[in-house]
């Protein structure tokens, strides 16, 4: 009798229909799940991110056992735990006398390198299968990208709409337009009264994991007091239903809005569940479309939501694998500023920044425009070294895995790849934040002032960024025209602007070492 097939399932593969389980039966298969020190510590993750993944893993193992599967679960503190995926797969293959190992490819390049090395040395056959939970396979993405001069999400998205048939009528986009982004940028009124997303009270499994995280990772960033993320597929379904019925109808209009203390607004907060496998992306999109077809949600909301998932999410994943490992080293502007300490402490008079860091600390979440136009934008115009900001983003968000974090930070927020993903840097002065939020009114800085100690720091930094990168940005058709405005300013005003920006930069305190990676 040949030994069983060993099927390792990683912490972001919590999906019962995983490709590695197709055709397998409980009689000839052992599932292996591993809590390993290498994953919990390769960066010093937000406490809530570790709690979410380990709790979701433990719940998934219990559900798979209930469904009849044999699950070998290695807990973080088990005696003999080698601390790495490769070590645990090798150990379990011997323990079970496995005839073969079969698993779905990991989401991260770093882990893929380790698994390929293990595969090369494995005494039993080891198959690594494509992750078919993504709508676009990697070979399909590579062939879409091949030979194109510019890789832009919009064109990829149109192809995905055609392939999935989402929001298509007789081969044409529903409503006659592919993209309703213009209707998704309304500045917020003073109050928006968004219904709060459901939070899930920790059960015994989650409570035990939370206690373990507090004990083993006391110095990690973030708070666990408000932990309420879905940790099972059933909870994720509940969260998805609440979103579809309560917030989706307004998702489009207020997609880019920010309000102080309003951490979710009309966003779905489904990324944590999507990224660890508790929800299926295509299913979510079909449900959103059904809300539109039934007349319960408008087209700009539903198209906007579907675009984020079959457009941005898939495009970002394809770009990651296309551009790695170079993407991790990209630094087109040669930015070398250390990450300011307020990214960790939240201690800054910039009200927008303080609120975004607070939400990040309390919830392990901030919404897209906070990530892009406050946290990312400041780092871009101040000139923070990309690898430091990338580490920060990988640590602090419960939905952060390198395949989705890195392209968003390096290529979208920092333009560190020189424009393979975005057509221009998302650099903005305080004016943009003022328009899209209620942050500025009660800020210690004055968003209308362009220079001097009371000026909003985003204002002079914006021009400092433009001026110091002129050789790179002036040829860009989409942004180069701003130099005409700069050149029209008097020499004195330009000098004051640069001096004000330099004063902001000189006052920044670099973060103490050890927040993101163990010193
Ligand atoms: P919603 O606003 O409700 O959007 C719906 C879904 O669309 C999200 O759940 C997500 O799955 C998908 N989506 C939307 N935008 C993107 C995008 N740009 N890339 C990929 N998927 C997208 N998202 C992550 O999942 N993990 C990250 O580590 C991450 N890091 C980011 C870093 C920066 C600098 C920026 C600008 C964006 C980042 N994003 C990341 C994308 C986006 O901000 C989050 O997906 C979103 O805020 C998650 O909240 P939500 O579920 O409420 O999203
Ligand atoms: C993020 C994370 C953490 C903190 N811990 C684990 C773990 O102990 N075991 C596990 O299987 N996965 C964990 N993860 C998620 C992995 O980092 C993720 O599956 C890989 O990065 C995918 O390449
Ligand atoms: Fe942020 Fe400037 Fe507005 Fe203050 S004035 S909240 S620093 S954009």
């Amino acid at each position: 009798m040949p030994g069983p097939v060993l099927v390792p399932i990683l912490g972001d593969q919590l999906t019962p229909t995983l490709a590695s389980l197709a055709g397998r039966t409980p009689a000839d298969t052992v599932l292996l799940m591993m809590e390993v020190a290498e994953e919990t510590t390769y960066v010093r993750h937000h406490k809530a991110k570790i709690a979410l993944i380990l709790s979701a893993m433990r719940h998934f193992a219990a559900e798979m056992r209930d469904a009849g599967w044999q699950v070998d679960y290695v807990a973080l503190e088990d005696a003999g735990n080698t601390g790495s995926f490769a070590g645990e797969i090798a150990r379990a293959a011997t323990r079970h006398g496995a005839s073969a190992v079969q698993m779905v490819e990991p989401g991260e390049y770093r882990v893929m390198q380790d698994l390929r090395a293990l595969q090369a040395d494995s005494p039993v056959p080891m198959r690594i299968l494509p992750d078919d939970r993504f709508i676009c396979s990697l070979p399909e993405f590579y062939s879409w990208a091949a030979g194109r001069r510019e890789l832009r999400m919009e064109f990829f998205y149109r192809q995905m709409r055609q392939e999935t048939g989402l929001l298509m009528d007789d081969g044409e986009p529903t409503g006659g337009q592919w993209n309703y982004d213009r209707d998704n940028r309304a500045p917020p009124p003073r109050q928006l009264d968004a219904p709060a997303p459901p939070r899930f009270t920790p059960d015994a499994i989650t409570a035990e994991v939370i206690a373990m995280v507090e004990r083993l990772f006391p110095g990690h960033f973030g708070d666990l007091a408000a932990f309420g993320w879905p940790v099972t597929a059933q909870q994720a379904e509940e969260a998805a239903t609440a979103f579809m019925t309560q917030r989706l109808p307004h998702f489009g209009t207020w997609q880019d809005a920010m309000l102080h203390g309003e951490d979710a607004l009309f966003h779905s907060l489904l990324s944590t569940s999507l990224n660890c496998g508790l929800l299926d992306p295509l299913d979510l999109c079909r449900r959103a479309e059904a809300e539109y077809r039934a007349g319960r949600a408008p087209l700009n909301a539903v198209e906007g939501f579907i675009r984020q998932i079959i457009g941005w999410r898939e495009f970002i994943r394809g770009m990651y694998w296309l551009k790695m490992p170079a993407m991790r080293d990209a630094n087109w502007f040669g930015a070398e500023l250390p990450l300011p300490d307020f990214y960790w402490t939240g201690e800054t008079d910039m009200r927008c920044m303080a609120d975004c860091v607070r939400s990040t600390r309390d919830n392990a979440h901030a919404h897209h425009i906070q990530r892009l136009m406050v946290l990312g934008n400041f780092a871009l115009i101040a000139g923070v070294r990309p690898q430091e900001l990338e580490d920060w983003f990988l640590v602090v968000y419960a939905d952060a895995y390198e395949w989705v974090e890195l392209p968003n930070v390096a290529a979208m927020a920092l333009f560190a790849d020189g424009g393979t993903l975005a057509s221009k840097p998302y650099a903005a002065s305080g004016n943009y934040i003022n328009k899209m939020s209620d942050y500025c009114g009660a800020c210690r800085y004055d968003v209308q002032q362009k220079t001097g100690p009371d000026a909003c720091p985003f204002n002079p930094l914006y021009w400092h960024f433009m001026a110091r990168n002129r050789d790179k940005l002036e040829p860009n058709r989409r942004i180069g025209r701003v130099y005409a405005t700069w050149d029209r300013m008097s020499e004195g005003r330009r000098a004051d602007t640069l001096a004000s920006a330099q004063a902001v930069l000189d006052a920044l305190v670099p973060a103490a070492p050890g927040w993101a990676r163990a010193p």
Side-chain angles (χ1 to χ4, degrees):
M1 258 284 278
V5 171
L6 185 70
V7 176
I9 298 182
L10 307 182
D12 56 356
Q13 299 181 340
L14 308 181
T15 313
T17 53
L18 221 47
S20 50
L21 291 172
R24 304 245 50 88
T25 67
D28 59 15
T29 308
V30 174
L31 314 191
L32 172 68
M33 297 184 67
M34 308 152 274
E35 295 178 2
V36 289
E38 209 163 84
E39 295 308 301
T40 52
T41 57
Y42 73 91
V43 288
R44 303 180 83 219
H45 307 280
H46 191 300
K47 289 177 191 173
K49 180 180 175 189
I50 305 179
L52 164 67
I53 292 164
L54 299 194
S55 171
M57 285 175 65
R58 290 181 183 197
H59 281 93
F60 183 78
E63 285 167 13
M64 294 304 269
R65 279 194 190 115
D66 287 347
W69 294 95
Q70 186 187 336
V71 182
D72 183 350
Y73 194 96
V74 183
L76 199 54
E77 297 185 282
D78 281 356
N81 187 333
T82 56
S84 72
F85 286 144
E88 285 312 293
I89 293 170
R91 213 161 62 95
T94 308
R95 190 160 62 237
H96 296 285
S99 57
V101 176
Q102 166 163 310
M103 67 186 297
V104 167
E105 65 195 354
E108 299 189 336
Y109 185 87
R110 167 186 67 82
V111 179
M112 186 58 127
Q113 299 297 100
D114 291 348
L115 293 178
R116 288 276 180 232
L118 178 69
Q119 188 182 36
D121 286 346
S122 177
V124 292
M126 180 168 167
R127 288 176 73 201
I128 301 179
L129 305 166
D131 190 345
D132 62 9
R133 297 171 305 162
F134 287 94
I135 300 160
C136 181
S137 71
L138 290 175
E140 184 189 352
F141 187 85
Y142 299 149
S143 71
W144 173 81
R148 276 173 199 261
R149 204 169 47 83
E150 284 190 328
L151 303 179
R152 294 291 172 255
M153 192 287 293
E154 181 61 24
F155 299 107
F156 170 77
Y157 167 58
R158 290 179 191 182
Q159 183 164 318
M160 297 302 287
R161 286 272 293 277
Q162 283 163 323
E163 280 180 22
T164 58
L166 283 161
L167 290 181
M168 297 295 294
D169 295 317
D170 299 325
E172 295 299 321
T174 302
Q177 268 173 246
W178 289 103
N179 186 316
Y180 291 83
D181 202 23
R182 287 231 172 100
D183 302 329
N184 293 357
R185 294 179 194 152
R190 276 171 183 279
Q191 229 181 311
L192 269 171
D193 291 327
R199 311 293 294 178
F200 298 89
T201 309
D203 64 2
I205 294 179
T206 306
E208 194 183 330
V209 169
I210 286 178
M212 181 178 81
V213 170
E214 291 287 23
R215 185 163 46 80
L216 296 181
F217 309 104
H220 284 213
F221 176 77
D223 240 43
L224 280 165
F227 186 93
W229 289 108
V231 291
T232 64
Q234 196 188 337
Q235 291 178 344
E237 276 304 316
E238 247 179 79
T241 303
F243 169 69
M244 297 285 167
T245 53
Q246 298 167 10
R247 302 197 304 291
L248 175 64
H250 306 286
F251 173 85
T253 308
W254 309 118
Q255 203 175 323
D256 287 2
M258 298 178 279
L259 286 179
H260 190 268
E262 290 282 339
D263 298 342
L265 285 173
F266 295 96
H267 292 274
S268 70
L269 265 63
L270 295 177
S271 53
T272 60
S273 302
L274 273 168
N275 293 353
C276 72
L278 300 179
L279 288 174
D280 178 65
L282 193 53
D283 173 61
L284 270 187
C285 293
R286 296 213 189 289
R287 286 165 66 179
E289 176 171 14
E291 293 301 304
Y292 166 69
R293 302 275 179 209
R296 290 189 293 263
L299 187 54
N300 74 319
V302 172
E303 187 281 317
F305 181 71
I306 288 177
R307 175 163 22 95
Q308 303 314 310
I309 295 185
I310 66 168
W312 278 114
R313 187 171 186 271
E314 296 284 329
F315 179 68
I316 286 283
R317 189 249 185 171
M319 290 298 285
Y320 173 74
W321 286 104
L322 188 68
K323 299 292 177 185
M324 279 299 279
M327 190 180 268
R328 173 73 190 161
D329 298 324
N331 188 358
W332 194 57
F333 292 121
E336 288 300 339
L337 191 78
L339 186 75
D341 71 337
F342 56 70
Y343 277 80
W344 298 110
T345 64
E347 286 164 19
T348 163
D349 287 334
M350 289 184 280
R351 193 164 178 259
C352 54
M353 184 63 79
D355 191 52
C356 294
V357 175
R358 178 207 50 75
S359 174
T360 303
R361 188 195 57 227
D362 292 354
N363 311 313
H365 190 270
H367 58 77
H368 186 71
I369 291 299
Q370 294 177 315
R371 296 189 203 194
L372 184 62
M373 298 311 294
V374 177
L375 298 157
N377 179 27
F378 186 91
L380 168 73
I381 61 182
V384 171
R385 206 169 108 72
Q387 289 74 19
E388 292 203 28
L389 192 74
E390 289 155 19
D391 277 355
W392 184 84
F393 269 95
L394 192 56
V395 165
V396 301
Y397 293 116
D399 59 22
Y401 300 85
E402 196 186 66
W403 68 265
V404 56
E405 167 273 324
L406 184 59
N408 271 300
V409 178
M412 192 189 297
L414 293 181
F415 208 73
D417 62 343
T420 60
L421 185 147
S423 55
K424 70 175 175 67
Y426 286 91
S429 66
N431 193 27
Y432 174 88
I433 296 171
N434 190 32
K435 189 171 119 208
M436 297 310 297
S437 78
D438 68 349
Y439 285 138
C440 302
C443 183
R444 167 248 179 275
Y445 297 107
D446 182 350
V447 72
Q448 307 301 341
Q449 285 196 39
K450 309 294 179 213
T451 58
D454 295 330
C456 164
F458 285 84
N459 291 341
L461 281 179
Y462 170 80
W463 284 116
H464 194 274
F465 166 74
M466 294 305 299
R468 71 177 184 267
N469 293 303
R470 186 167 190 155
D471 59 329
K472 294 203 159 71
L473 295 178
E474 197 165 26
N476 183 319
R477 276 178 294 121
R478 295 205 56 213
I479 202 169
R481 273 171 300 166
V482 306
Y483 289 100
T485 309
W486 176 245
D487 290 341
R488 270 199 306 275
M489 288 181 202
S490 69
E491 212 166 290
R493 177 142 174 229
R494 285 202 300 263
D496 281 352
T497 304
L498 295 180
S500 293
Q502 196 54 53
V504 172
L505 294 173
D506 291 344
L508 295 174
V509 177
W515 278 100
R517 290 179 192 264

